[in-house]
Amino acid sequence: MKKLLGLITFLAIVIQQSSLELGADALPNDGFVRTKGVQFNLNGYPFYANGFNAYWLMYESADPSQRSKISAALQDASRHGLTVARTWAFSDGGYRPLQSSPGSYNEDMFQGLDFAIAEARSHGIKIILSFANNYDSFGGRKQYVDWARSQGRPVSSEDDFFTDSLVKDFYKNHITAVLNRFNTFTKVHYKDDSTIMAWELMNEPRCPSDPTGRTIQAWITEMAAHVKSLDRNHLLEAGLEGFYGQSSPQSKTLNPPGQFGTDFIANNRIPGIDFATVHSYPDEWFTDASASEQFKMDFLNKWIDAHIQDAQNVLRKPIIVAEFGKSMKKQGYSSAERDIVFNTVYSKIYESAKRGGAAAGGLFWQLLGNGMDNFQDGYGIILNQSSSTVNVIAQQSRKLTLIRKIFARMINVEKWKRARGHGQVRGHHKIKN
């Protein structure tokens, strides 16, 4: 054990003294991301999903005249060491839809998604694709229910999305269409493309009409089985925000106010769900004027800590902080406050990751490119516009790259020792400061 820890310390010194390149190609990024215990694994080495949300990738890429913006934004992301992008594989009905009606697709929009995936691949960035939206933006549950109602189904609520048989068929058919899509740029079907890290069932599913959580539990169970019946290559997650439910009543006190109909523990225990997600928006969840900045930061600390611990000890699966940020549009905003939020989330991920723990990355909301002011919701960050937050993001990339390199060297030393007949180096992998 002492030899192992000595090796870790030595490797840390060597790598820190070397010039670390932040690019995503520091270690080979081709191949499918898997899970191994509570960690992601890529080509036999731990993998960290340090990245960003960019819901607009397909939408912008559908216009060939805008594609240079996508290329530049992804290149900047790669230069800053970011490894994963989360984006939408949906736009249902309405203006510039991907799916204009059930099973009817807009080829220009699909080619936009093709291009975004191909560009991500060229920059060594993995993609998480979400199949549908909980909200009305880009169609959402409401559009699916409206389609079913127009065909005579007795649906009255958006929550019928999770139970009506025709709506579920519409949704399953969309999943099938996305998985079987042949990328016109890479010439690879999506379900065979290792650029895609994972599928997401829905962006932030909620079913407030059933606070027991049974409706969402049954829906995730059914849809996870459907995805896995078509594609065993890719990981799958549910898109959850992390609200606790009846399976862990002691943890429900951590939830913000409201009825959500989800259950972080039960939902993520479902077979086929490979890793957990948590989102954190204290500014959005606590709108009462009496909720001070300190109160919100206390919530953030407890919220992230609890979910990392539960992923580690209860779920025994990796977890990603899949959305977090700080809006510039909030009253009293300061860049220092945004940096504190980012540093808080990143430090908790790093402290877990360096011990081989379940925290496997964070995806800030949201990345923007130059000339994309129409997508600025207050959370947008442009990486080539120098700011203290960009420096925080780059620092996290360096730290996780360092961890990955150290673990890779440890694994290679063990392989060498086994090949030399020295047996396996024993001891739990963790990195000391």
Coordinates of all heavy atoms in Angstrom, one line a residue, residues 292-339:
S292 N -31.8 34.4 1.3 CA -30.6 35.2 1.0 C -29.6 34.4 0.2 O -29.8 33.2 0.0 CB -29.9 35.5 2.4 OG -29.5 34.2 3.0
E293 N -28.6 35.1 -0.3 CA -27.5 34.4 -1.0 C -26.8 33.3 -0.2 O -26.5 32.2 -0.7 CB -26.5 35.4 -1.5 CG -25.5 34.9 -2.6 CD -26.2 34.4 -3.9 OE1 -27.3 35.0 -4.2 OE2 -25.6 33.6 -4.5
Q294 N -26.7 33.6 1.1 CA -26.0 32.6 2.0 C -26.9 31.3 2.1 O -26.5 30.2 2.1 CB -25.8 33.2 3.3 CG -25.0 32.2 4.3 CD -23.7 31.8 3.7 OE1 -22.9 32.6 3.3 NE2 -23.4 30.5 3.6
F295 N -28.3 31.6 2.2 CA -29.2 30.4 2.3 C -29.1 29.6 1.0 O -29.1 28.3 1.1 CB -30.6 31.0 2.4 CG -31.7 29.9 2.3 CD1 -32.1 29.2 3.4 CD2 -32.3 29.7 1.1 CE1 -33.1 28.2 3.3 CE2 -33.3 28.7 1.0 CZ -33.7 27.9 2.1
K296 N -29.0 30.2 -0.1 CA -29.0 29.5 -1.4 C -27.6 28.7 -1.5 O -27.6 27.6 -2.0 CB -29.1 30.4 -2.6 CG -30.5 31.1 -2.6 CD -30.6 32.1 -3.7 CE -31.9 32.9 -3.7 NZ -32.0 34.0 -4.7
M297 N -26.6 29.3 -1.0 CA -25.3 28.6 -1.1 C -25.3 27.4 -0.1 O -24.7 26.3 -0.4 CB -24.1 29.5 -0.8 CG -23.8 30.5 -1.9 SD -23.5 29.7 -3.5 CE -22.2 28.5 -3.1
D298 N -25.9 27.6 1.1 CA -26.0 26.5 2.0 C -26.8 25.3 1.4 O -26.5 24.1 1.5 CB -26.7 26.9 3.3 CG -25.8 27.8 4.1 OD1 -24.6 27.8 3.9 OD2 -26.4 28.5 5.0
F299 N -27.9 25.7 0.7 CA -28.7 24.7 0.0 C -27.8 24.0 -1.1 O -27.9 22.7 -1.2 CB -29.9 25.3 -0.7 CG -30.6 24.4 -1.7 CD1 -31.6 23.4 -1.2 CD2 -30.3 24.4 -3.0 CE1 -32.2 22.6 -2.1 CE2 -30.9 23.5 -3.9 CZ -31.9 22.6 -3.4
L300 N -27.1 24.7 -1.9 CA -26.3 24.1 -2.9 C -25.3 23.1 -2.3 O -25.2 22.0 -2.9 CB -25.5 25.2 -3.7 CG -24.5 24.8 -4.7 CD1 -25.2 24.0 -5.9 CD2 -23.7 25.9 -5.3
N301 N -24.6 23.5 -1.3 CA -23.7 22.6 -0.6 C -24.3 21.3 -0.2 O -23.8 20.2 -0.4 CB -23.0 23.3 0.6 CG -21.8 24.1 0.1 OD1 -20.7 23.6 -0.1 ND2 -22.1 25.4 0.0
K302 N -25.4 21.4 0.5 CA -26.1 20.2 1.1 C -26.7 19.4 -0.1 O -26.7 18.1 0.0 CB -27.3 20.6 2.0 CG -26.8 21.3 3.3 CD -28.0 21.8 4.1 CE -27.5 22.5 5.3 NZ -28.6 23.1 6.1
W303 N -27.2 20.0 -1.1 CA -27.9 19.3 -2.2 C -26.9 18.5 -3.0 O -27.1 17.3 -3.2 CB -28.5 20.4 -3.2 CG -29.3 19.9 -4.3 CD1 -29.0 20.0 -5.6 CD2 -30.6 19.3 -4.2 NE1 -30.0 19.5 -6.4 CE2 -31.0 19.1 -5.6 CE3 -31.5 18.9 -3.2 CZ2 -32.3 18.5 -5.9 CZ3 -32.7 18.3 -3.5 CH2 -33.1 18.1 -4.8
I304 N -25.7 19.1 -3.3 CA -24.7 18.3 -4.1 C -24.1 17.2 -3.2 O -23.9 16.1 -3.7 CB -23.6 19.3 -4.6 CG1 -24.2 20.3 -5.5 CG2 -22.6 18.5 -5.4 CD1 -25.0 19.8 -6.8
D305 N -23.8 17.6 -2.0 CA -23.2 16.6 -1.1 C -24.1 15.3 -0.9 O -23.6 14.2 -1.0 CB -23.0 17.2 0.3 CG -21.7 18.0 0.4 OD1 -20.9 18.0 -0.5 OD2 -21.6 18.8 1.4
A306 N -25.4 15.6 -0.7 CA -26.3 14.5 -0.5 C -26.4 13.6 -1.7 O -26.4 12.3 -1.6 CB -27.7 15.0 -0.2
H307 N -26.4 14.2 -2.9 CA -26.6 13.3 -4.1 C -25.3 12.6 -4.5 O -25.4 11.4 -4.9 CB -27.0 14.2 -5.3 CG -28.4 14.7 -5.2 ND1 -28.8 15.7 -4.4 CD2 -29.6 14.1 -5.7 CE1 -30.2 15.9 -4.5 NE2 -30.6 14.9 -5.3
I308 N -24.2 13.2 -4.2 CA -22.9 12.4 -4.5 C -22.8 11.3 -3.5 O -22.5 10.1 -3.9 CB -21.7 13.4 -4.3 CG1 -21.6 14.4 -5.5 CG2 -20.4 12.5 -4.3 CD1 -20.5 15.4 -5.4
Q309 N -23.2 11.5 -2.2 CA -23.1 10.4 -1.2 C -24.1 9.3 -1.6 O -23.8 8.1 -1.4 CB -23.4 11.0 0.2 CG -22.3 11.9 0.7 CD -22.7 12.6 1.9 OE1 -23.8 12.4 2.5 NE2 -21.9 13.6 2.3
D310 N -25.3 9.7 -2.0 CA -26.3 8.6 -2.4 C -25.9 7.9 -3.6 O -26.1 6.7 -3.7 CB -27.7 9.3 -2.5 CG -28.3 9.7 -1.2 OD1 -27.9 9.1 -0.2 OD2 -29.2 10.5 -1.2
A311 N -25.3 8.5 -4.6 CA -24.8 7.8 -5.8 C -23.7 6.8 -5.4 O -23.7 5.7 -5.9 CB -24.3 8.8 -6.8
Q312 N -22.9 7.3 -4.5 CA -21.7 6.4 -4.0 C -22.2 5.2 -3.2 O -21.8 4.1 -3.4 CB -20.8 7.3 -3.2 CG -19.6 6.5 -2.6 CD -18.5 6.3 -3.6 OE1 -18.3 7.2 -4.5 NE2 -17.8 5.2 -3.5
N313 N -23.0 5.5 -2.2 CA -23.3 4.5 -1.2 C -24.6 3.8 -1.4 O -24.8 2.6 -0.9 CB -23.3 5.2 0.2 CG -22.0 5.8 0.5 OD1 -21.0 5.3 0.2 ND2 -22.1 7.0 1.1
V314 N -25.6 4.4 -2.0 CA -26.9 3.8 -2.2 C -27.1 3.2 -3.6 O -27.4 2.0 -3.8 CB -28.1 4.8 -1.8 CG1 -29.4 4.1 -2.0 CG2 -27.9 5.3 -0.4
L315 N -27.0 4.1 -4.6 CA -27.2 3.7 -6.0 C -26.0 2.9 -6.5 O -26.1 2.0 -7.4 CB -27.4 4.9 -6.9 CG -28.6 5.8 -6.5 CD1 -28.6 7.0 -7.4 CD2 -29.9 5.0 -6.8
R316 N -24.8 3.2 -6.0 CA -23.5 2.6 -6.5 C -23.4 2.8 -8.0 O -23.1 1.9 -8.8 CB -23.4 1.2 -6.1 CG -23.4 1.0 -4.6 CD -23.2 -0.5 -4.2 NE -23.1 -0.6 -2.8 CZ -24.1 -0.7 -1.9 NH1 -25.3 -0.7 -2.4 NH2 -23.9 -0.8 -0.6
K317 N -23.7 4.0 -8.5 CA -23.6 4.4 -9.9 C -22.9 5.8 -10.0 O -23.0 6.6 -9.0 CB -25.0 4.5 -10.5 CG -25.7 3.2 -10.6 CD -27.1 3.3 -11.3 CE -27.9 2.0 -11.3 NZ -29.2 2.2 -12.0
P318 N -22.3 6.1 -11.1 CA -21.8 7.4 -11.3 C -22.9 8.5 -11.3 O -24.1 8.2 -11.6 CB -21.1 7.4 -12.7 CG -21.0 5.9 -13.0 CD -22.1 5.2 -12.3
I319 N -22.5 9.7 -11.0 CA -23.5 10.8 -11.1 C -22.8 12.0 -11.7 O -21.6 12.3 -11.5 CB -24.0 11.2 -9.6 CG1 -25.0 12.3 -9.7 CG2 -22.8 11.6 -8.7 CD1 -25.8 12.5 -8.4
I320 N -23.6 12.7 -12.5 CA -23.2 14.0 -13.2 C -24.1 15.1 -12.6 O -25.3 14.9 -12.5 CB -23.3 13.9 -14.7 CG1 -22.3 12.9 -15.3 CG2 -23.1 15.3 -15.3 CD1 -22.5 12.8 -16.8
V321 N -23.4 16.2 -12.3 CA -24.2 17.4 -12.0 C -24.5 18.0 -13.4 O -23.7 18.7 -14.0 CB -23.4 18.4 -11.2 CG1 -24.3 19.7 -10.9 CG2 -22.9 17.8 -9.9
A322 N -25.7 17.7 -13.9 CA -25.9 17.8 -15.4 C -26.4 19.2 -15.7 O -26.4 19.6 -16.9 CB -27.0 16.8 -15.9
E323 N -26.8 20.0 -14.8 CA -27.1 21.5 -15.0 C -26.8 22.2 -13.7 O -27.3 21.9 -12.6 CB -28.6 21.7 -15.4 CG -29.0 21.3 -16.8 CD -30.4 21.8 -17.2 OE1 -30.8 22.8 -16.6 OE2 -31.0 21.1 -17.9
F324 N -26.1 23.3 -13.9 CA -25.9 24.3 -12.8 C -25.4 25.6 -13.4 O -24.9 25.6 -14.6 CB -24.9 23.8 -11.8 CG -23.5 23.7 -12.3 CD1 -22.6 24.8 -12.0 CD2 -23.0 22.6 -13.0 CE1 -21.3 24.7 -12.5 CE2 -21.7 22.6 -13.5 CZ -20.8 23.6 -13.2
G325 N -25.6 26.7 -12.7 CA -25.1 28.0 -13.2 C -25.6 29.1 -12.3 O -26.2 28.9 -11.3
K326 N -25.3 30.3 -12.8 CA -25.7 31.5 -12.1 C -26.1 32.6 -13.2 O -25.3 32.9 -14.0 CB -24.6 32.0 -11.2 CG -24.9 33.3 -10.4 CD -25.7 32.9 -9.2 CE -25.9 34.1 -8.3 NZ -26.8 33.8 -7.1
S327 N -27.3 33.1 -13.1 CA -27.8 34.0 -14.1 C -27.3 35.4 -13.9 O -27.5 35.9 -12.8 CB -29.3 34.0 -14.2 OG -29.8 34.9 -15.1
M328 N -26.8 36.0 -14.9 CA -26.4 37.4 -14.9 C -27.7 38.4 -14.8 O -27.5 39.5 -14.5 CB -25.6 37.8 -16.1 CG -24.3 37.1 -16.2 SD -23.4 37.6 -17.7 CE -24.4 36.7 -19.0
K329 N -28.8 37.8 -15.0 CA -30.1 38.6 -15.0 C -30.7 38.7 -13.6 O -31.7 39.5 -13.5 CB -31.1 38.1 -16.0 CG -30.6 38.1 -17.5 CD -31.7 37.6 -18.4 CE -31.2 37.8 -19.9 NZ -32.2 37.3 -20.8
K330 N -30.1 38.0 -12.7 CA -30.7 38.1 -11.3 C -30.3 39.4 -10.6 O -29.2 39.8 -10.8 CB -30.2 36.9 -10.5 CG -30.7 35.5 -11.0 CD -32.2 35.4 -10.9 CE -32.8 34.1 -11.4 NZ -34.2 34.0 -11.4
Q331 N -31.2 39.9 -9.9 CA -30.9 41.2 -9.2 C -29.7 41.0 -8.2 O -29.6 40.0 -7.5 CB -32.2 41.6 -8.4 CG -32.0 43.0 -7.7 CD -33.3 43.4 -7.1 OE1 -34.3 42.7 -7.0 NE2 -33.3 44.6 -6.5
G332 N -28.8 41.9 -8.3 CA -27.7 41.9 -7.4 C -26.6 40.9 -7.9 O -25.6 40.6 -7.2
Y333 N -26.7 40.5 -9.1 CA -25.7 39.5 -9.7 C -24.3 40.1 -9.7 O -24.1 41.3 -9.9 CB -26.0 39.1 -11.1 CG -24.9 38.5 -11.9 CD1 -24.6 37.1 -11.7 CD2 -24.0 39.3 -12.7 CE1 -23.5 36.6 -12.4 CE2 -22.9 38.7 -13.3 CZ -22.7 37.3 -13.2 OH -21.6 36.7 -13.8
S334 N -23.3 39.3 -9.4 CA -21.9 39.6 -9.5 C -21.1 38.4 -10.0 O -21.5 37.3 -9.7 CB -21.3 40.1 -8.2 OG -21.1 39.0 -7.3
S335 N -20.1 38.7 -10.8 CA -19.3 37.6 -11.3 C -18.6 36.8 -10.2 O -18.4 35.6 -10.3 CB -18.2 38.1 -12.3 OG -17.4 39.0 -11.6
A336 N -18.4 37.5 -9.1 CA -17.8 36.7 -8.0 C -18.7 35.7 -7.4 O -18.3 34.6 -7.0 CB -17.4 37.7 -6.8
E337 N -20.0 36.0 -7.4 CA -21.0 35.0 -6.9 C -21.1 33.9 -7.9 O -21.2 32.7 -7.4 CB -22.4 35.7 -6.8 CG -22.5 36.6 -5.6 CD -23.9 37.2 -5.4 OE1 -24.7 37.1 -6.4 OE2 -24.1 37.9 -4.4
R338 N -21.0 34.1 -9.2 CA -21.0 33.0 -10.1 C -19.8 32.2 -10.0 O -19.9 30.9 -10.0 CB -21.1 33.6 -11.6 CG -21.2 32.5 -12.6 CD -21.6 33.0 -14.0 NE -20.4 33.7 -14.6 CZ -20.4 34.2 -15.9 NH1 -21.5 34.0 -16.6 NH2 -19.4 34.8 -16.3
D339 N -18.7 32.7 -9.7 CA -17.5 32.0 -9.5 C -17.6 31.1 -8.3 O -17.1 29.9 -8.3 CB -16.3 32.9 -9.4 CG -15.9 33.6 -10.7 OD1 -16.5 33.2 -11.7 OD2 -15.0 34.5 -10.7

